[in-house]
Amino acid sequence: MSYEAVIGLEVHAQMLTDTKIFCGCPTTFGAEPNTQTCPVCIGMPGVLPVLNREALRFAIMTGLATHCRISPYSRFARKNYFYPDLPKGYQISQYELPLCEDGFIEISIDGQAKRIGITRIHLEEDAGKNIHEGAGNWSLVDLNRAGVPLMEIVSEPDIRSPREAVEYMQKLRTILRYLGVCDGNMEEGSLRCDANVSVRRSGETAFGTRTEIKNINSFRFVEKALEYEIKRQIREIDSGRRILQETRLWNAEKGVTEPMRGKEEAHDYRYFPEPDLVPIVVPKEWIDEIRASLPEFPDAKKERFLSEYRLPVHDANLLVSEKALADWFEEAVNLGGQPKAVANWMMGELMRLLNEDDVPIERCPLAPRYLVEMLALLENGTISGKIAKAVFEDMYRTGKRPDAIIREKGLVQISDVGEIEQAVTDVLSKHPHEVSRFRAGEEKLLGFFVGQVMKMTKGKANPQKVNELLKEKLSSGT
Ligand code: ADP
Ligand code: MG
Ligand code: ZN
């Protein structure tokens, strides 16, 4: 019997606002515990929340970018539950009237486009953090995160495999990063995902009972946790058991999902409208203004890179994966860099160095115009391809211009025939044995001679000239 998986994701994205959602406390990550708090976000009685306009704008941007309808009228609700990291005893969230509804994100699976529906996007506040550390029999609570603005992005159960789930998450992350509304850092928890999954026999139209997996903090774990859970559910059904609707936890160490608690229902939370906040009424003009300010999105950018710069699909995909990468590329091209050459240097040397140093492209120490200058020097024969690599790394490390590096280090390519000829003659007279072997037909030795000449000239000889001269001398027999 074959089965099909049905998956829906609930993604929480921490927004990159400077301040919290209902008070003016800063949102900086990693500050000393409980230094970014005030009476509002630690839930003192008698305080009143005030909505952060920027958080609302960010959520509207996200709604528009994911083709949602922006509700002209939405409202906050209290979600009641008790937990030490939630000082008020309720979380301010949205319930029956969310800000955004009925959108979609398009993903690509084996070159096929597929739409994953977005049920809703709503605003809510984050909770604090319990810390179970130290020798004593206690837990500590850090409320710096309490009140940090979150968006909850709920997908329709349109996802059919762990791979599709990862594609969807990655696409969503790219969109959030393009918008600049969330940094998408899963390890630091600024992008979190709960995965709902059920299985059904192929051909069946009704959904099976689902479980919800929490605690997934990387793309790899999204895939692993879902793969595990799908197999587990199939095994349960095949052995005649029922799936319990429950919340499970991903245990990354063991690579398994484990039961955490029975699934809570909406009525367990005793939702009711938040009386301390007025309903959100978004004027149409504001929505239009936000729509007009949206950046070009990755799919559109990719199409443009393909047609405008004639890049291969692979290059275009990679360059549009981060807005900052695409911007770096276009800046270089606008300064006169040949598109494919710029792409090659970015995907090769630049990515290698950035990865090595674990530096994001946003903090790339190399300015696009230096690459363009270097490409010109390569083009006009001042430096060889091999030297260019060294110059590139030097520019990246020191921030110096390519011509300065070339001058200081004496890296100008030797194109002077006399000088190369001298080196060629020297090499041939040093290796009479190889010369006779070459002349006896062992032509692959040409590479050896080229290598020797390059070594003698410290890589500065123009390789094309070296080849020409070697062939000439070896065949003429002088
Ligand atoms: P809750 O409020 O209990 O979390 P929702 O109805 O809001 O439940 O759904 C949460 C998520 O679960 C959504 O992403 C939805 O697509 C997904 N989902 C709902 N039913 C199923 C199912 N049978 N199998 C897999 N996913 C499901
Ligand atoms: Mg839920
Ligand atoms: Zn505060």
Coordinates of all heavy atoms in Angstrom, one line a residue, residues 258-313:
E258 N 9.4 12.9 19.4 CA 8.9 12.3 20.6 C 7.7 13.0 21.1 O 7.5 14.2 20.9 CB 10.0 12.4 21.7 CG 11.2 11.6 21.4 CD 12.4 12.0 22.3 OE1 12.4 13.1 22.8 OE2 13.3 11.1 22.4
P259 N 6.7 12.2 21.7 CA 5.5 12.9 22.1 C 5.8 13.9 23.2 O 6.7 13.7 24.0 CB 4.7 11.7 22.7 CG 5.5 10.5 22.7 CD 6.8 10.8 22.0
M260 N 5.1 15.0 23.1 CA 5.3 16.1 24.0 C 4.1 16.3 24.9 O 4.1 16.4 26.1 CB 5.7 17.4 23.3 CG 5.9 18.6 24.1 SD 6.1 20.0 22.9 CE 6.2 21.4 24.1
R261 N 3.0 16.5 24.2 CA 1.7 16.7 24.9 C 0.6 16.4 23.9 O 0.7 16.4 22.7 CB 1.6 18.1 25.4 CG 1.7 19.2 24.3 CD 1.4 20.6 24.9 NE 1.4 21.5 23.8 CZ 2.2 22.5 23.6 NH1 3.2 22.8 24.5 NH2 2.1 23.3 22.6
G262 N -0.6 16.2 24.5 CA -1.8 16.1 23.6 C -2.0 17.4 22.9 O -1.7 18.5 23.4
K263 N -2.6 17.4 21.7 CA -2.8 18.6 21.0 C -3.9 19.5 21.7 O -4.9 19.0 22.1 CB -3.3 18.2 19.6 CG -3.8 19.4 18.8 CD -2.7 20.0 17.9 CE -3.2 21.2 17.1 NZ -2.6 22.4 17.6
E264 N -3.5 20.8 21.9 CA -4.5 21.7 22.5 C -5.4 22.2 21.4 O -5.1 22.3 20.3 CB -3.8 22.8 23.2 CG -2.8 23.7 22.4 CD -1.6 22.9 22.0 OE1 -0.7 22.7 22.9 OE2 -1.5 22.6 20.8
E265 N -6.7 22.4 21.8 CA -7.6 22.9 20.9 C -7.8 24.4 21.1 O -7.4 24.9 22.2 CB -9.0 22.3 21.1 CG -9.0 20.7 21.0 CD -8.9 20.3 19.6 OE1 -9.2 21.1 18.6 OE2 -8.5 19.1 19.4
A266 N -8.3 25.1 20.1 CA -8.5 26.6 20.3 C -9.2 26.9 21.6 O -8.8 27.8 22.3 CB -9.3 27.1 19.1
H267 N -10.2 26.1 22.0 CA -11.0 26.5 23.2 C -10.1 26.3 24.5 O -10.4 27.0 25.5 CB -12.3 25.7 23.3 CG -12.1 24.2 23.5 ND1 -12.4 23.3 22.5 CD2 -11.5 23.4 24.5 CE1 -12.1 22.1 22.9 NE2 -11.6 22.1 24.1
D268 N -9.0 25.5 24.4 CA -8.1 25.5 25.5 C -7.5 26.8 25.8 O -7.1 27.1 26.9 CB -7.0 24.5 25.3 CG -7.5 23.0 25.2 OD1 -8.5 22.7 25.9 OD2 -7.0 22.3 24.4
Y269 N -7.4 27.6 24.8 CA -6.7 28.9 24.9 C -7.7 30.1 25.3 O -7.3 31.2 25.6 CB -6.0 29.3 23.6 CG -4.8 28.5 23.3 CD1 -4.7 27.7 22.2 CD2 -3.8 28.4 24.2 CE1 -3.6 27.0 21.9 CE2 -2.7 27.6 24.0 CZ -2.6 26.9 22.8 OH -1.5 26.2 22.6
R270 N -9.0 29.8 25.3 CA -10.0 30.8 25.7 C -9.7 32.1 25.1 O -9.5 33.1 25.7 CB -10.0 30.9 27.3 CG -10.4 29.5 27.9 CD -10.2 29.4 29.4 NE -9.3 30.3 30.1 CZ -8.0 30.2 30.2 NH1 -7.4 29.2 29.7 NH2 -7.3 31.1 30.9
Y271 N -9.6 32.1 23.8 CA -9.3 33.3 23.0 C -10.5 34.3 23.3 O -11.6 33.9 23.3 CB -9.3 33.0 21.5 CG -8.1 32.4 21.0 CD1 -8.0 31.1 20.7 CD2 -7.0 33.2 20.7 CE1 -6.8 30.5 20.2 CE2 -5.8 32.7 20.1 CZ -5.7 31.4 19.9 OH -4.6 30.8 19.3
F272 N -10.1 35.6 23.4 CA -11.1 36.6 23.3 C -10.5 37.9 22.9 O -9.3 38.1 23.0 CB -11.9 36.8 24.7 CG -11.0 37.3 25.8 CD1 -10.8 38.6 26.0 CD2 -10.4 36.4 26.7 CE1 -10.0 39.1 27.1 CE2 -9.6 36.8 27.8 CZ -9.4 38.2 28.0
P273 N -11.3 38.8 22.3 CA -10.7 40.0 21.7 C -9.9 40.8 22.8 O -10.3 40.9 23.9 CB -11.9 40.8 21.3 CG -13.0 39.8 21.1 CD -12.7 38.7 22.1
E274 N -8.8 41.3 22.4 CA -7.9 42.1 23.3 C -8.5 43.5 23.5 O -8.7 44.3 22.6 CB -6.5 42.3 22.6 CG -5.6 43.3 23.3 CD -5.3 42.9 24.7 OE1 -4.7 41.9 25.0 OE2 -5.6 43.7 25.6
P275 N -9.0 43.7 24.8 CA -9.7 44.9 25.0 C -8.8 46.2 25.1 O -9.3 47.3 25.1 CB -10.4 44.7 26.4 CG -9.5 43.6 27.0 CD -8.9 42.8 26.0
D276 N -7.5 45.9 25.3 CA -6.6 47.1 25.5 C -6.1 47.7 24.2 O -5.3 48.6 24.2 CB -5.4 46.7 26.4 CG -5.8 46.5 27.8 OD1 -6.9 46.9 28.2 OD2 -5.0 45.8 28.6
L277 N -6.4 47.0 23.0 CA -5.9 47.6 21.8 C -7.1 47.8 20.8 O -8.0 47.0 20.7 CB -4.9 46.6 21.1 CG -3.5 46.5 21.7 CD1 -2.9 45.2 21.3 CD2 -2.7 47.7 21.2
V278 N -7.0 48.9 20.1 CA -8.1 49.2 19.2 C -7.9 48.3 18.0 O -6.8 47.8 17.7 CB -8.1 50.7 18.7 CG1 -8.5 51.6 19.8 CG2 -6.7 51.1 18.1
P279 N -9.0 48.0 17.2 CA -8.9 47.2 16.0 C -7.9 47.9 15.0 O -7.7 49.1 15.1 CB -10.3 47.2 15.4 CG -11.2 47.5 16.6 CD -10.4 48.4 17.5
I280 N -7.3 47.1 14.2 CA -6.4 47.7 13.2 C -7.2 48.0 11.9 O -7.8 47.1 11.3 CB -5.3 46.7 12.8 CG1 -4.6 46.1 14.0 CG2 -4.3 47.3 11.8 CD1 -3.7 44.9 13.7
V281 N -7.2 49.2 11.5 CA -7.9 49.6 10.3 C -6.8 50.1 9.3 O -6.1 51.1 9.6 CB -8.9 50.7 10.5 CG1 -9.5 51.2 9.2 CG2 -10.0 50.1 11.4
V282 N -6.6 49.4 8.3 CA -5.5 49.8 7.4 C -6.1 50.6 6.2 O -6.8 50.0 5.4 CB -4.7 48.6 6.8 CG1 -3.5 49.0 6.0 CG2 -4.3 47.7 8.0
P283 N -5.8 51.8 6.0 CA -6.3 52.6 4.9 C -5.8 52.1 3.6 O -4.6 51.7 3.5 CB -5.8 54.0 5.1 CG -5.1 54.0 6.4 CD -4.8 52.6 6.8
K284 N -6.6 52.0 2.5 CA -6.2 51.5 1.2 C -5.0 52.3 0.7 O -4.1 51.7 0.1 CB -7.4 51.7 0.3 CG -7.1 51.0 -1.0 CD -8.3 51.1 -2.0 CE -7.8 50.7 -3.4 NZ -6.7 51.5 -3.9
E285 N -4.9 53.6 0.9 CA -3.8 54.4 0.4 C -2.5 53.9 1.0 O -1.5 53.9 0.3 CB -4.0 55.9 0.8 CG -5.2 56.6 0.2 CD -6.4 56.2 1.0 OE1 -6.5 56.3 2.2 OE2 -7.4 55.7 0.3
W286 N -2.5 53.5 2.3 CA -1.3 53.0 2.9 C -0.8 51.7 2.3 O 0.3 51.5 2.0 CB -1.5 52.9 4.4 CG -0.2 52.8 5.2 CD1 1.0 53.4 4.8 CD2 0.1 52.0 6.3 NE1 2.0 53.1 5.7 CE2 1.5 52.3 6.7 CE3 -0.6 51.2 7.2 CZ2 2.1 51.7 7.7 CZ3 0.0 50.6 8.3 CH2 1.3 50.9 8.6
I287 N -1.8 50.8 2.0 CA -1.5 49.6 1.3 C -0.9 49.8 0.0 O 0.1 49.3 -0.4 CB -2.8 48.7 1.2 CG1 -3.3 48.3 2.6 CG2 -2.4 47.4 0.4 CD1 -4.6 47.5 2.6
D288 N -1.5 50.8 -0.8 CA -1.0 51.1 -2.1 C 0.5 51.6 -2.0 O 1.3 51.3 -2.8 CB -1.9 52.1 -2.8 CG -3.2 51.5 -3.2 OD1 -3.3 50.3 -3.2 OD2 -4.2 52.3 -3.4
E289 N 0.7 52.5 -1.0 CA 2.0 53.1 -0.9 C 3.0 52.0 -0.5 O 4.1 52.0 -1.1 CB 1.9 54.1 0.3 CG 3.1 54.9 0.5 CD 2.9 55.7 1.9 OE1 1.8 56.3 2.1 OE2 3.9 55.7 2.7
I290 N 2.6 51.0 0.3 CA 3.6 50.0 0.7 C 3.8 49.1 -0.5 O 4.9 48.7 -0.8 CB 3.0 49.1 1.9 CG1 3.0 50.0 3.1 CG2 3.9 47.9 2.1 CD1 2.3 49.3 4.3
R291 N 2.7 48.8 -1.3 CA 2.9 48.0 -2.5 C 3.9 48.6 -3.5 O 4.8 47.9 -4.0 CB 1.5 47.8 -3.2 CG 1.5 46.6 -4.2 CD 0.3 46.7 -5.1 NE -1.0 46.7 -4.3 CZ -1.6 45.6 -3.9 NH1 -1.1 44.4 -4.1 NH2 -2.7 45.8 -3.2
A292 N 3.8 49.9 -3.6 CA 4.7 50.6 -4.6 C 6.1 50.6 -4.1 O 7.0 50.7 -4.9 CB 4.2 52.0 -4.7
S293 N 6.3 50.4 -2.8 CA 7.7 50.4 -2.3 C 8.4 49.0 -2.2 O 9.5 48.9 -1.8 CB 7.7 51.0 -0.9 OG 7.2 50.0 0.0
L294 N 7.7 48.0 -2.6 CA 8.2 46.6 -2.5 C 9.4 46.5 -3.5 O 9.4 47.0 -4.6 CB 7.2 45.6 -2.8 CG 6.0 45.5 -1.8 CD1 5.0 44.4 -2.2 CD2 6.5 45.2 -0.4
P295 N 10.4 45.7 -3.1 CA 11.5 45.4 -4.0 C 11.2 44.5 -5.1 O 10.1 43.8 -5.0 CB 12.6 44.8 -3.1 CG 11.8 44.1 -2.0 CD 10.5 44.9 -1.8
E296 N 12.0 44.3 -6.1 CA 11.9 43.3 -7.1 C 12.1 42.0 -6.4 O 13.1 41.8 -5.7 CB 12.9 43.5 -8.2 CG 12.8 42.5 -9.3 CD 13.9 42.7 -10.4 OE1 15.0 43.1 -10.0 OE2 13.6 42.5 -11.5
F297 N 11.2 41.0 -6.6 CA 11.4 39.7 -5.9 C 12.2 38.7 -6.7 O 12.5 38.9 -7.9 CB 10.0 39.2 -5.6 CG 9.4 39.9 -4.5 CD1 8.3 40.7 -4.7 CD2 10.0 39.9 -3.2 CE1 7.7 41.5 -3.6 CE2 9.4 40.6 -2.2 CZ 8.3 41.4 -2.4
P298 N 12.7 37.7 -6.0 CA 13.7 36.8 -6.6 C 13.2 36.2 -7.9 O 14.1 36.1 -8.9 CB 13.9 35.7 -5.5 CG 13.0 36.0 -4.4 CD 12.5 37.4 -4.6
D299 N 12.0 35.8 -8.1 CA 11.6 35.1 -9.3 C 11.7 36.1 -10.5 O 12.2 35.8 -11.6 CB 10.1 34.6 -9.2 CG 10.0 33.4 -8.3 OD1 11.1 32.8 -8.0 OD2 8.9 33.1 -7.9
A300 N 11.2 37.3 -10.3 CA 11.2 38.4 -11.3 C 12.7 38.7 -11.6 O 13.1 38.9 -12.8 CB 10.5 39.6 -10.9
K301 N 13.5 38.8 -10.6 CA 14.9 39.2 -10.8 C 15.6 38.1 -11.6 O 16.4 38.4 -12.4 CB 15.5 39.3 -9.4 CG 16.7 40.3 -9.4 CD 17.4 40.3 -8.0 CE 16.8 41.4 -7.1 NZ 17.0 42.8 -7.6
K302 N 15.3 36.9 -11.3 CA 15.9 35.7 -12.0 C 15.6 35.8 -13.5 O 16.5 35.7 -14.3 CB 15.4 34.4 -11.4 CG 16.0 33.2 -12.1 CD 15.3 31.9 -11.6 CE 15.4 30.9 -12.6 NZ 14.6 29.7 -12.2
E303 N 14.3 36.0 -13.8 CA 13.9 36.1 -15.2 C 14.7 37.3 -15.9 O 15.2 37.1 -17.0 CB 12.4 36.4 -15.3 CG 11.5 35.2 -15.0 CD 12.0 33.9 -15.7 OE1 12.3 33.9 -16.9 OE2 12.1 32.9 -15.0
R304 N 14.8 38.4 -15.2 CA 15.5 39.5 -15.7 C 17.0 39.2 -15.9 O 17.6 39.5 -17.0 CB 15.4 40.7 -14.8 CG 15.8 42.1 -15.5 CD 15.3 43.2 -14.7 NE 15.8 43.3 -13.3 CZ 17.0 43.6 -12.9 NH1 17.9 44.0 -13.9 NH2 17.4 43.6 -11.7
F305 N 17.6 38.5 -15.0 CA 19.0 38.2 -15.1 C 19.3 37.3 -16.3 O 20.3 37.3 -17.0 CB 19.6 37.5 -13.8 CG 19.9 38.5 -12.7 CD1 19.4 39.8 -12.7 CD2 20.8 38.1 -11.7 CE1 19.8 40.7 -11.8 CE2 21.1 39.1 -10.7 CZ 20.6 40.4 -10.7
L306 N 18.3 36.4 -16.5 CA 18.4 35.4 -17.6 C 18.4 36.2 -19.0 O 19.2 36.0 -19.8 CB 17.3 34.4 -17.6 CG 17.4 33.4 -16.4 CD1 16.2 32.4 -16.5 CD2 18.7 32.5 -16.5
S307 N 17.4 37.1 -19.1 CA 17.2 37.8 -20.4 C 18.2 38.9 -20.6 O 18.8 39.1 -21.6 CB 15.8 38.2 -20.6 OG 15.4 39.1 -19.5
E308 N 18.4 39.7 -19.5 CA 19.2 40.9 -19.6 C 20.7 40.6 -19.7 O 21.4 41.2 -20.4 CB 18.9 41.8 -18.5 CG 19.2 43.3 -18.7 CD 18.6 44.1 -17.6 OE1 17.5 43.9 -17.1 OE2 19.4 45.0 -17.1
Y309 N 21.1 39.6 -18.9 CA 22.5 39.4 -18.8 C 22.9 38.0 -19.4 O 24.1 37.7 -19.4 CB 23.0 39.4 -17.4 CG 22.6 40.7 -16.7 CD1 21.9 40.7 -15.5 CD2 23.0 41.9 -17.2 CE1 21.6 41.9 -14.8 CE2 22.7 43.1 -16.6 CZ 22.0 43.1 -15.4 OH 21.7 44.3 -14.8
R310 N 22.0 37.3 -20.0 CA 22.2 36.0 -20.6 C 23.0 35.1 -19.7 O 23.9 34.4 -20.2 CB 23.0 36.2 -21.9 CG 22.4 37.2 -22.9 CD 21.6 36.5 -24.0 NE 20.5 37.4 -24.5 CZ 19.3 37.0 -24.7 NH1 18.9 35.8 -24.5 NH2 18.4 37.9 -25.2
L311 N 22.6 35.1 -18.4 CA 23.3 34.2 -17.5 C 22.7 32.8 -17.6 O 21.5 32.6 -17.9 CB 23.2 34.7 -16.1 CG 23.9 35.9 -15.6 CD1 23.6 36.2 -14.2 CD2 25.4 35.7 -15.8
P312 N 23.5 31.7 -17.3 CA 22.9 30.4 -17.2 C 22.0 30.3 -16.0 O 22.2 31.1 -15.1 CB 24.1 29.5 -17.0 CG 25.3 30.3 -17.3 CD 25.0 31.7 -17.1
V313 N 21.0 29.4 -16.1 CA 20.0 29.3 -15.0 C 20.6 29.1 -13.6 O 20.2 29.8 -12.7 CB 19.0 28.2 -15.3 CG1 18.0 28.0 -14.2 CG2 18.2 28.4 -16.6

